[in-house]
Amino acid sequence: MVDLFLDRVLIENNWDQDELNTEREIIGILENRILLLFFASAECEKCQEFLPVLNDFFKRLKDPAYIEYPKLFALVFISLDQSEKQQERVLKELHKRVLFLAFDDPYGKELQAMFKVRDVPTVVVLRPDGSVLSPNAVQDICRYGCDCFRDWQESAEVIERTFMLNEQFENLNMRTATDPVKRLKYKTEDDKRKKRWWNLWGKGKDAYEVEEEKDGAFDRKRKEGDKGPWRKR
């Protein structure tokens, strides 16, 4: 799928209309993602009706204001309008993180022919390898909303790595990466003493008696501390 737009220029739908034209930029934004190609025209009534639905779909899956971890997909708008002014009308309705082809870029017509787009609106869904997952997902988006993305993700086998721990951790069942630190921090004094007793096992009677004397002194200090002035409020 990345190859589909290499050596091409994609523009971000923000105020500055930043251009993505290097291989590194294209790979960074499209690699390992499901790609949606949105073919539409400002003069099409159905497109105007579908725009708010698609915009809401995109925001709920991609916008950090709606979701903590944006999903792995990208949306590229391909205008089939007769003028750049008409294209701008559609772009004003779309989210600012949507990408689009410049109006005078002939590659839009090539993509239209490549994916056999005859009607608008059309949303072609592509796997990361460039194969077609859905020739037109307009009805699915209208009917199922964000739920249809889960089906695409499973079918395309796109792996979410956001929540995966560093591979150096052998125990992948740990709840958080800081779990070992927490267990060390909240380890009780009795736990530490048990570890000392285990290490002293087999070292002989003398070592045992020395350790017992230390623990006895610690217990006496702890009991005396419980009666100390710091307990008064």
Side-chain angles (χ1 to χ4, degrees):
M1 180 192 68
V2 173
D3 296 341
L4 200 63
F5 288 99
L6 285 181
D7 302 323
R8 301 289 175 179
V9 177
L10 288 174
I11 307 172
E12 291 186 328
N13 188 34
N14 54 28
W15 291 108
D16 297 326
Q17 293 198 344
D18 298 321
E19 293 186 355
L20 306 176
N21 55 12
T22 68
E23 182 175 343
R24 182 177 181 179
E25 290 171 332
I26 298 297
I27 290 175
I29 204 166
L30 297 182
E31 189 175 36
N32 191 39
R33 282 167 171 76
I34 291 173
L35 177 61
L36 277 61
L37 302 180
F38 174 45
F39 296 85
S41 169
E43 297 301 310
C44 169
E45 257 185 55
K46 290 182 179 179
C47 293
Q48 292 299 325
E49 293 172 0
F50 179 64
L51 271 173
V53 178
L54 180 64
N55 214 31
D56 183 70
F57 173 84
F58 184 87
K59 286 192 296 186
R60 293 185 181 279
L61 288 173
K62 198 69 176 175
D63 195 329
Y66 287 78
I67 185 170
E68 186 174 2
Y69 297 99
K71 298 301 181 181
L72 296 176
F73 84 100
L75 176 61
V76 178
F77 167 54
I78 300 166
S79 173
L80 299 183
D81 289 302
Q82 300 300 315
S83 69
E84 190 171 2
K85 187 175 181 180
Q86 290 176 335
Q87 175 179 291
E88 288 295 328
R89 284 172 52 191
V90 178
L91 289 172
K92 286 180 181 179
E93 300 296 325
L94 287 173
H95 195 277
K96 299 194 182 304
R97 292 171 64 97
V98 171
L99 305 172
F100 67 95
L101 287 173
F103 176 75
D104 56 357
D105 191 337
Y107 192 53
K109 295 293 183 181
E110 292 181 34
L111 290 172
Q112 180 184 8
M114 186 185 304
F115 296 106
K116 301 177 181 178
V117 176
R118 298 183 177 85
D119 300 317
V120 287
T122 290
V123 176
V124 180
V125 183
L126 302 176
R127 296 182 179 89
D129 63 3
S131 59
V132 177
L133 190 58
S134 173
N136 192 356
V138 169
Q139 290 186 1
D140 288 341
I141 293 173
C142 292
R143 185 177 301 174
Y144 304 113
C146 298
D147 290 339
C148 62
F149 180 80
R150 189 181 302 109
D151 296 333
W152 299 341
Q153 188 176 18
E154 290 176 0
S155 179
E157 298 180 349
V158 175
I159 301 174
E160 286 275 10
R161 300 185 182 275
T162 310
F163 303 99
M164 292 186 69
L165 299 176
N166 193 307
E167 294 178 0
Q168 67 182 354
F169 289 97
E170 295 180 0
N171 183 10
L172 294 179
N173 293 322
M174 294 186 332
R175 293 185 178 180
T176 66
T178 58
D179 189 60
V181 179
K182 290 180 181 177
R183 286 190 281 112
L184 179 62
K185 178 180 178 181
Y186 297 111
K187 182 177 285 187
T188 64
E189 187 63 32
D190 288 337
D191 292 334
K192 296 175 183 177
R193 288 165 63 183
K194 286 178 183 178
K195 184 176 180 180
R196 290 202 307 270
W197 287 118
W198 180 259
N199 291 336
L200 289 169
W201 184 266
K203 289 186 177 180
K205 183 177 179 181
D206 293 340
Y208 180 88
E209 290 176 350
V210 171
E211 193 66 24
E212 188 177 42
E213 185 178 346
K214 288 182 181 178
D215 287 339
F218 175 80
D219 290 337
R220 284 195 300 274
K221 288 182 181 179
R222 187 169 61 178
K223 288 179 181 178
E224 291 173 0
D226 291 344
K227 299 176 181 178
W230 66 275
R231 294 288 296 174
K232 296 179 182 179
R233 294 179 182 268

